[in-house]
Amino acid sequence: MRISAAQRTENENRIRAAMDRLLRGEIPPGGKCDIKTLANEAAVDRTAFYGTRPYAHLRVEFERRLRALQDADEIPDPREAQIARLKAENAKLKARIAQSGETIDKLTDFRSQSLARLAAQHEEIVRLREASAGTTQVRRLPAPRTTVIGSCS
């Protein structure tokens, strides 16, 4: 069905007004910042935006303006902004988990090395005590006192 020049101008004005609303972030409930919502808001058939249809130039303009906003880190669709924010937060959390895993591995290795050193030192002490028990030149120190006099604070 053909439309008159006046109807086409009126439709273009409605499309431009809807385009401005969407790009300002005034997204209707259940809609997105896309051609389908633009067509619904302007009360125009969505197929008129594609191919050689009469409003294809307006689709190109809408997509260009939307891309320019996205390049400037301004996302008019609150859901898209939330998705971008959550993706960034998810990436940060994954990096923290990886760093925590590395720290845990390092600390586990350190613990193992410390336990091995303590065991080696204990074995050396036991060996030295056994070696010193046979000689008379080495004197044994008196045992430490076990009673506590007064408070330690």
Side-chain angles (χ1 to χ4, degrees), residues 9 25 28 33 39 56 59 62 72 83-84 89 103-104 111 118 126 144 147 151:
T9 304
C33 194
R59 177 185 54 88
F62 177 73
I83 289 170
E89 186 177 330
T103 303
I104 289 170
R111 180 176 177 257
L118 286 173
V126 169
T147 59
S151 69

Side-chain angles (χ1 to χ4, degrees), residues 26-122:
E26 299 174 18
I27 312 292
K32 296 180 183 179
C33 194
D34 61 358
I35 295 297
K36 181 179 178 183
T37 306
L38 177 63
N40 286 338
E41 285 292 298
V44 176
D45 184 29
R46 184 169 48 112
T47 59
F49 289 101
Y50 296 99
T52 58
R53 304 288 179 141
Y55 308 120
H57 68 283
L58 292 175
R59 177 185 54 88
V60 171
E61 179 184 339
F62 177 73
E63 290 172 347
R64 181 187 49 77
R65 289 176 60 188
L66 180 61
R67 198 172 313 111
L69 284 174
Q70 290 170 342
D71 289 344
D73 288 334
E74 293 181 31
I75 302 174
D77 191 347
R79 286 186 298 172
E80 293 295 327
Q82 182 181 23
I83 289 170
R85 181 183 55 78
L86 290 174
K87 282 182 180 179
E89 186 177 330
N90 193 21
K92 284 183 192 175
L93 291 174
K94 284 182 179 182
R96 282 183 59 191
I97 287 172
Q99 184 180 13
S100 295
E102 290 174 13
T103 303
I104 289 170
D105 291 342
K106 288 178 184 177
L107 290 174
T108 302
D109 289 344
F110 179 75
R111 180 176 177 257
S112 299
Q113 290 175 359
S114 298
L115 289 175
R117 288 179 187 153
L118 286 173
Q121 289 172 356
H122 178 69

Side-chain angles (χ1 to χ4, degrees), residues 116-136:
R117 288 179 187 153
L118 286 173
Q121 289 172 356
H122 178 69
E123 291 296 321
E124 182 68 12
I125 289 171
V126 169
R127 186 188 65 75
L128 291 173
R129 281 187 182 158
E130 289 173 358
S132 71
T135 63
T136 57

